[in-house]
Amino acid sequence: RKRVDALQAEFADVFGPSAPEGADLPPFRIDLRPGAQLRSQPPRRLSAALLEALRGEVADLHARGVIADSVAPHAAPVVMVK
């Protein structure tokens, strides 16, 4: 917890008063090198229980403003950790 507090203090211009519940991050984009190709993979299969847990976590993070809707054509995979 001390390390998290130190990082929040060091980068106070990025994290607003709602952190760690939410992060006030500016919009950004990642530009690829010309001609670069993204790798495509099928989504990982999750059990019904894990899928429901993932949906709940995503909904919670979205409601708190930690994550936002995206129009990006690609996404990062999610790995559920116990």
Side-chain angles (χ1 to χ4, degrees), residues 14-79:
V14 175
F15 295 102
S18 62
E21 289 82 22
D24 299 320
L25 299 174
F28 68 95
R29 60 180 285 143
I30 299 172
D31 294 317
L32 299 177
R33 293 180 183 152
Q37 297 291 320
L38 294 176
R39 291 178 48 196
S40 181
Q41 296 180 17
R44 296 174 189 224
R45 291 180 180 218
L46 295 175
S47 68
L50 282 177
L51 184 57
E52 187 62 31
L54 175 62
R55 286 183 176 149
E57 186 67 23
V58 168
D60 179 54
L61 291 171
H62 188 267
R64 291 189 290 151
V66 176
I67 59 175
D69 294 329
S70 174
V71 294
H74 297 279
V78 174
V79 178

